Amino acid sequence: MREKELHLGLIMDGNGRWAKARHLPRTAGHLAGLKSLKKVVLGAINNEVKYLSLYCFSTENWKRSQEEVSYLMGLFSSKIYSELPFYQENGIKILTIGDLSPLPEDAKKAINDTIEATKDNDTIILQLAINYGGQAEISMAVNKAIKNGETNLTPEVIRSYFEHPEVPPVDVIARSAGEIRLSNFLLFDSAYAEFVFCDKLWPDWDESDVTKVLEEYSHRIRRFGGVK
Ligand code: IPE
Ligand code: IPE
Ligand code: MG
């Protein structure tokens, strides 16, 4: 057992490159990415990760071709709820962050039904970032706070208006596929996160990659501005 519950964030990148290397359409990469996702979730459970945040679709991903965006929306509607037995068997509670309002109705329904059906699970909290952007998250929270009459927008007050303030800040963010950037993921909560960047493309990830990330994290010394 860890002394503190761990929050791992994953920027799942490289689906397109994985498909391109196989002369397949980009969409085939997203489908393959879904398979690795299940393995990675099991790896997180085996490693006693309590919170797992997954970057599924950014506020910038709408810039992609209509074909690719519709395919991803189709995955949200057809694959999220259909994995219900997997969540129930493994004690997975699903939450989302991000603005779901522009999503197609069937995707929204599948997501909301999944959230409702898994609300009592508590082995692992799986937070799906869908139409999520760190900048939008901060700006939405500030707007809600102002509407609610707050006059002193301290970091704590702003954070209390996030969608899931009960989820603790992310401890470690890992990104696949060799890019060294955040791409607007968890901007506020990553203030003191550790970062692990891996070259392996997302569809090639499995349980062992979570273990590797956490092994690297275990050697980091976190000071949070203090002295150890
Ligand atoms: C990540 O893989 C999945 C999403 C952003 C939805 P990409 O689709 O970004 O794959 P690359 O970066 O083009 O290889
Ligand atoms: C970040 O990946 C978004 C997700 C993983 C959902 P991108 O592939 O969209 O990021 P950039 O464009 O390379 O920064
Ligand atoms: Mg990418």
Side-chain angles (χ1 to χ4, degrees), residues 12-17 26 30 56 61 64 68 72:
M12 309 183 285
D13 199 15
N15 294 353
R17 277 163 276 177
R26 292 180 56 83
H30 296 312
C56 303
N61 287 149
R64 297 185 178 201
E68 184 170 349
L72 288 166

Side-chain angles (χ1 to χ4, degrees), residues 93-109:
K93 173 174 174 160
I94 304 287
L95 298 179
T96 61
I97 45 173
D99 178 11
L100 299 182
S101 61
L103 266 62
E105 287 307 320
D106 53 353
K108 274 191 272 200
K109 182 175 177 352

Side-chain angles (χ1 to χ4, degrees), residues 10-14 17 26 54-58 60-61 64 129 132 175 179 181-185:
L10 291 174
I11 303 175
M12 309 183 285
D13 199 15
R17 277 163 276 177
R26 292 180 56 83
L54 297 162
Y55 207 3
C56 303
F57 192 89
S58 75
E60 287 72 40
N61 287 149
R64 297 185 178 201
Y132 171 88
R175 181 167 187 152
E179 310 296 348
R181 56 175 171 263
L182 268 181
S183 302
N184 208 5
F185 189 48

Side-chain angles (χ1 to χ4, degrees), residues 85-226:
F86 175 72
Y87 312 136
Q88 307 304 48
E89 267 162 42
N90 293 290
I92 300 166
K93 173 174 174 160
I94 304 287
L95 298 179
T96 61
I97 45 173
D99 178 11
L100 299 182
S101 61
L103 266 62
E105 287 307 320
D106 53 353
K108 274 191 272 200
K109 182 175 177 352
I111 293 167
N112 288 327
D113 289 352
T114 308
I115 292 171
E116 176 59 25
T118 62
K119 68 179 190 316
D120 296 325
N121 293 341
D122 83 336
T123 302
I124 189 167
I125 318 301
L126 223 161
Q127 182 166 252
L128 305 176
I130 300 175
N131 191 25
Y132 171 88
Q135 293 175 335
E137 177 178 55
I138 297 166
S139 115
M140 276 192 295
V142 168
N143 281 319
K144 272 198 238 165
I146 292 171
K147 257 198 191 138
N148 206 32
E150 301 279 359
T151 51
N152 186 12
L153 298 176
T154 62
E156 293 74 22
V157 169
I158 293 172
R159 196 179 188 284
S160 73
Y161 285 89
F162 278 8
E163 285 172 274
H164 293 293
E166 75 281 12
V167 173
V170 64
D171 294 295
V172 52
I173 294 179
R175 181 167 187 152
S176 59
E179 310 296 348
I180 318 286
R181 56 175 171 263
L182 268 181
S183 302
N184 208 5
F185 189 48
L186 303 180
L187 293 187
F188 191 96
D189 272 354
S190 60
Y192 273 98
E194 297 294 327
F195 293 92
V196 179
F197 295 99
C198 311
D199 286 335
K200 207 190 250 192
L201 304 177
W202 179 255
D204 292 325
W205 277 48
D206 63 20
E207 289 91 334
S208 69
D209 294 286
V210 181
T211 307
K212 276 184 222 151
V213 166
L214 296 178
E215 152 62 20
E216 184 166 339
Y217 171 71
S218 72
H219 299 297
R220 304 286 175 90
I221 299 161
R222 304 184 75 192
R223 283 182 287 269
F224 298 97

